[in-house]
Amino acid sequence: MNPADVIATLTLQAGFNSAVVVAGTACLGVAAGVIGSFMLLRKRALVSDALSHATLPGIALAFLAATWLGLEGRSLPVLLAGALFSGALGVLAIQAISRYTRLPEDAAIGAVLSVFFGVGVVLLSHIQTLPTGNQAGLKTFILGQTAAMNRTEAAAIAALALAAVAASALLFKEFRLLCFDPDFAAGQGWPTRRIDLTLMGLTTLVTVIGLQTAGLILIIALLIVPPAAARFWTERLGVMVVVAAALGGASGWIGASLSALVPRLPAGAVIVLVAGALFVASFLFAPARGVVATAWRQGRLRLAYAEQAALAGRLAGAPPSPAMRPWLRLRGWLRGEDLTERGLAAAHAAERNRRLWERFLMRYPTLIPGQANWGIDPIDRVLPRDLVRELEGLPAETAR
């Protein structure tokens, strides 16, 4: 692989058709990241999996119907229309089974996924026996074939993906309410069922337009992996949606570029591998919930707790542990076995902080700030000043 070709493809300078396909796939990744964020928080990720598998019988039936009517069976709009129909039918089947039976939703998802996919495989086997079956090319919808996409199809995918993103932006408040507290929303009179169906409709749209790019088996990865990776970066929904869109777009952009450079690579698998690499990087290095950042924060908390315990203990006459002595000396708090002037001030501050936190926990046990590391964080930085003054004014024997 020539590095110059790689750079030219990634920068959309490898030809107009290649640039349009890469840009269209990136738009699909952006839309999948946005819609997938709401599906992930709604705990409906597996519904997307069932939906993608449910599109297979629709594709096969659309081909058979078009061939029987004398039309072009391999026409992409015809096949996607069939996929959209059977995908919507699969979603409605899951909703009906969950609502009108006592079966849990995961059982409904498993039943719809397996039955629809089984029907699709049987229909594909039948199509292969037809005179036009070998030329149908329907199997490209299983693993995706980005390189086979023409300019018009790529432009249509990009337009529909951006329309899905725009609809999500307009319904952001409704989707956020649906994801975090649907019972409260229903109690306030919000049409939660219609909002849920709208979200499922947008998921169906993204799934269908991604069939040719990622394939019906792997399109689910674009809907789940970028939002799951974005979850490591932030606790805020708006930021998570933006990060998921960026990761999804990058997965589509890089994956489609690699597929264009190496024609025999399955496009869907390459895009998913890129998304998986971004997920692993987020899992390890994301600043909010990544493994490295979490380990760093926990290590700092343990050290701060050990520092305060050692200083308070030394103030009470207890010698610090052998493991803490070098650290306290390095901080300039201990000389020999005695506290320095700085160490004495730090020990008095640690003892005051511990005493005030104890009083606060005993007097206001239900008001502990959720993000505070009580007993370690300086209480003056966490609680209002008047509350700290109240705690300071409480005699130790009446603090309860």
Side-chain angles (χ1 to χ4, degrees):
M1 189 181 300
N2 189 342
D5 293 339
V6 175
I7 295 174
T9 305
L10 288 174
T11 55
L12 304 181
Q13 297 176 358
F16 183 75
N17 284 343
S18 177
V20 170
V21 170
V22 171
T25 307
C27 291
L28 171 66
V30 170
V34 172
I35 302 298
S37 297
F38 297 109
M39 293 295 289
L40 183 71
L41 296 174
R42 186 83 173 97
K43 299 179 180 177
R44 291 281 183 84
L46 288 181
V47 174
S48 307
D49 194 19
L51 194 159
S52 61
H53 283 75
T55 58
L56 185 59
I59 294 171
L61 287 173
F63 174 80
L64 291 172
T67 304
W68 184 70
L69 293 172
L71 303 175
E72 175 55 54
R74 289 172 295 173
S75 169
L76 184 63
V78 172
L79 297 177
L80 292 186
L84 185 63
F85 174 76
S86 63
L89 192 62
V91 171
L92 293 176
I94 293 172
Q95 298 264 3
I97 293 173
S98 303
R99 183 178 181 185
Y100 297 112
T101 71
R102 301 182 67 177
L103 292 174
E105 189 175 68
D106 57 348
I109 292 171
V112 170
L113 185 153
S114 55
V115 170
F116 273 70
F117 191 67
V119 172
V121 171
V122 169
L123 290 173
L124 279 183
S125 300
H126 172 67
I127 288 173
Q128 294 303 314
T129 64
L130 299 177
T132 57
N134 290 333
Q135 288 80 33
L138 300 187
K139 287 189 175 179
T140 58
F141 284 94
I142 296 179
L143 294 177
Q145 191 174 11
T146 304
M149 193 186 309
N150 62 39
R151 183 187 311 176
T152 305
E153 293 167 352
I157 288 173
L160 290 172
L162 293 178
V165 173
S168 299
L170 291 174
L171 296 171
F172 181 80
K173 181 176 66 176
E174 287 79 3
F175 287 167
R176 178 173 57 185
L177 198 56
L178 184 70
C179 290
F180 290 110
D181 202 340
D183 294 334
F184 173 77
Q188 292 293 314
W190 288 83
T192 53
R193 190 173 302 280
R194 277 184 285 172
I195 298 173
D196 198 24
L197 285 175
T198 303
L199 178 59
M200 296 303 301
L202 291 175
T203 306
T204 305
L205 175 64
V206 172
T207 301
V208 169
I209 63 176
L211 289 178
Q212 192 179 21
T213 303
L216 61 89
I217 293 178
L218 297 176
I219 183 61
I220 179 64
L222 268 184
L223 283 163
I224 293 178
V225 176
R231 196 71 182 87
F232 289 110
W233 288 83
T234 181
E235 302 284 352
R236 301 175 64 85
L237 175 60
V239 179
M240 176 186 167
V241 171
V242 172
V243 174
L247 294 176
S251 302
W253 189 289
I254 299 172
S257 299
L258 292 175
S259 178
L261 290 166
V262 187
R264 292 189 178 181
L265 280 180
V270 176
I271 292 171
V272 171
L273 285 177
V274 174
L278 294 175
F279 174 84
V280 172
S282 302
F283 170 72
L284 291 176
F285 304 114
R289 304 176 72 179
V291 171
V292 175
T294 301
W296 172 256
R297 284 195 297 271
Q298 290 179 348
R300 290 186 61 187
L301 282 177
R302 289 194 183 99
L303 180 59
Y305 179 80
E307 274 183 359
Q308 294 198 13
L311 290 171
R314 190 70 192 97
L315 197 62
S321 66
M324 285 302 297
R325 286 177 186 169
W327 177 251
L328 295 179
R329 288 168 182 160
L330 184 65
R331 297 289 305 267
W333 290 341
L334 193 68
R335 184 180 299 114
E337 294 297 326
D338 299 325
L339 291 172
T340 63
E341 186 176 348
R342 287 181 53 205
L344 198 60
H348 281 298
E351 175 59 22
R352 171 182 174 272
N353 198 51
R354 181 195 63 77
R355 186 175 67 252
L356 293 180
W357 272 117
E358 283 184 354
R359 291 181 180 181
F360 176 76
L361 292 174
M362 287 188 291
R363 195 170 182 84
Y364 304 105
T366 61
L367 298 180
I368 300 175
Q371 301 298 323
N373 300 297
W374 55 269
I376 300 177
D377 290 343
I379 197 167
D380 300 281
R381 298 181 186 174
V382 178
L383 300 182
R385 183 175 301 177
D386 54 346
L387 182 54
V388 174
R389 287 175 180 169
E390 177 190 333
L391 296 173
E392 286 177 329
L394 291 175
E397 61 273 13
T398 61
R400 293 176 183 271

